[in-house]
Amino acid sequence: MPGVIYPQRAKWGVALAAGILLWTAGNAYADKPTSGAHGGTNGNNIYASATYSTIKVRQISGPTGGKRGSVSSVDVNWKPPACWYEPVFSGQELKDFVDSTNGNGDVGIHESWYGKGLWTDHYQDGKPEHNFDDSNSVADGYKNYNIGKNGYFWRSVAPDATDPASWDCGRIMFWQDANVVPNVPHAPTPEMLADYAYNQIKVPATEIEVKPTAKSTVNLPTWVWLDKGKFQDVKVRAELPRTNLWAETTAKPVALHLDPGTSDATTFPASGDCTINNDGSIGTPYKPGDANTTPPCGITYLKATNGTPYQLKASITWQITWEGTGGAKGNLPNGTFDTTQNMNVQEIQAVNR
């Protein structure tokens, strides 16, 4: 991908370079830094590479304030899409891009990949580009960037250039009529957008309530709960412009898992998994007189901390589902998000009730 050319892929690297540039009304650059996987802007300039996607992501429901973080898939084999294709230029936009980058001093073309103008004949003069190692390319090239035709040039996107699977999208930039998704491997689908949205979900931090609050006591239960409304579904929508493709990925909190931070403890339930009630609460709030009763969600520590607190980890499991264009829908692997807090445990047996 950008900045790395392997000898056996040198020709393909040249071809890909023609497909990874993005045009805007201002100056365009191929090798400037991007902001995360989405690229960044500076005034009228846009800095883009194969890591830049035009997919638009927004959260449409769920909490947005406070501490939040990304979920981790419980399936260690799951990962977001490594690469795909998406529309980037109309014919006129490609011409404008070429005109804005040829010879004006602001060229972002990586000269070590190919000489200036090497690939442009393929798109403006109808000439075949023999350096393109792509059996699917148009043999006779494109005439005048296909200006006047209703469609777009598509190029590959690969957010993580270090992922070997990012090389799977090896086609050079190619033409597709408008309102048609190309029938090629790694073309975008609603499920792919759902996977992409999964990777953008931000869920609230797991800040549990405990009682006693200052110090727990050896052999007496510590109650754990979350008030209703603390955790709500989080829904994220991903849309790919110029394709009519969209997907909404929903994360629903379904369980709280407690890890006491020591083997010298008993959890309630024994599995440490506290279910989320129908009203969105977890467990039952502590009430005076509950000190010697078994909580539906909690911990009994069997050994004092003696100055070094235990690290109580609270992990929420989020059930992930999606729906998208044309009624498509499905499930994705559950996700988890963990937070930890100090738990001090004392030896004395007397507690306030």
Side-chain angles (χ1 to χ4, degrees):
M1 301 307 288
V4 180
I5 295 296
Y6 298 92
Q8 69 271 30
R9 296 168 174 167
K11 289 183 179 179
W12 181 82
V14 170
L16 177 62
I20 64 174
L21 307 177
L22 188 65
W23 174 86
T24 188
N27 297 325
Y29 302 85
D31 269 355
K32 297 293 185 180
T34 62
S35 173
H38 305 284
T41 59
N42 180 7
N44 288 327
N45 301 330
I46 189 163
Y47 305 131
S49 70
T51 62
Y52 183 94
S53 173
T54 61
I55 295 174
K56 307 300 182 185
V57 179
R58 59 190 173 92
Q59 181 173 323
I60 59 176
S61 67
T64 58
K67 295 180 181 178
R68 298 188 300 154
S70 301
V71 294
S72 298
S73 173
V74 298
D75 181 355
V76 296
N77 295 316
W78 184 89
K79 62 179 182 179
C83 70
W84 60 90
Y85 296 98
E86 59 184 51
V88 62
F89 293 120
S90 67
Q92 186 63 53
E93 288 169 348
L94 179 56
K95 180 181 185 302
D96 291 343
F97 173 80
V98 172
D99 290 345
S100 70
T101 57
N102 281 338
N104 67 357
D106 288 327
V107 178
I109 296 173
H110 198 310
E111 296 294 346
S112 67
W113 285 5
Y114 52 93
K116 190 180 300 182
L118 175 65
W119 58 275
T120 57
D121 285 351
H122 181 73
Y123 296 98
Q124 65 179 316
D125 295 333
K127 296 178 181 178
E129 180 45 76
H130 300 296
N131 287 304
F132 286 168
D133 187 17
D134 180 9
S135 60
N136 294 313
S137 63
V138 177
D140 295 327
Y142 301 95
K143 295 181 180 179
N144 195 28
Y145 309 103
N146 274 2
I147 292 176
K149 294 186 177 181
N150 186 20
Y152 303 101
F153 285 101
W154 289 56
R155 55 102 164 127
S156 61
V157 173
D160 181 3
T162 66
D163 185 347
S166 66
W167 290 93
D168 291 346
C169 299
R171 292 199 62 178
I172 65 170
M173 190 165 61
F174 61 94
W175 178 264
Q176 179 64 58
D177 292 339
N179 301 314
V180 177
V181 176
N183 184 21
V184 298
H186 305 288
T189 64
E191 184 172 7
M192 186 226 82
L193 291 177
D195 288 342
Y196 187 86
Y198 185 133
N199 210 39
Q200 310 296 318
I201 290 174
K202 301 293 183 184
V203 298
T206 312
E207 298 177 351
I208 58 175
E209 303 283 348
V210 298
K211 184 73 175 185
T213 55
K215 283 186 179 181
S216 293
T217 302
V218 169
N219 294 324
L220 289 179
T222 296
W223 287 58
V224 175
W225 73 93
L226 279 164
D227 292 333
K228 64 181 180 181
K230 286 277 188 173
F231 284 89
Q232 306 167 27
D233 293 2
V234 177
K235 183 178 291 187
V236 173
R237 182 180 177 95
E239 301 177 57
L240 181 56
R242 295 173 165 174
T243 67
N244 297 317
L245 292 176
W246 62 270
E248 291 179 354
T249 301
T250 301
K252 177 181 179 179
V254 293
L256 167 70
H257 180 76
L258 299 177
D259 181 344
T262 175
S263 59
D264 295 313
T266 300
T267 58
F268 307 104
S271 64
D273 294 322
C274 303
T275 59
I276 295 183
N277 304 320
N278 291 334
D279 64 359
S281 64
I282 299 175
T284 301
Y286 175 89
K287 300 186 300 293
D290 285 340
N292 290 312
T293 60
T294 300
C297 180
I299 302 167
T300 293
Y301 285 99
L302 308 177
K303 185 178 179 180
T305 50
N306 295 322
T308 302
Y310 297 127
Q311 296 297 299
L312 169 60
K313 180 188 291 185
S315 175
I316 290 285
T317 296
W318 298 80
Q319 184 181 68
I320 312 295
T321 59
W322 67 273
E323 59 182 1
T325 308
K329 60 182 178 180
N331 299 316
L332 291 170
N334 288 348
T336 61
F337 185 69
D338 303 336
T339 56
T340 58
Q341 62 190 69
N342 292 339
M343 288 297 296
N344 292 292
V345 182
Q346 58 190 353
E347 289 281 4
I348 61 173
Q349 298 298 317
V351 295
N352 294 325
R353 303 190 185 188

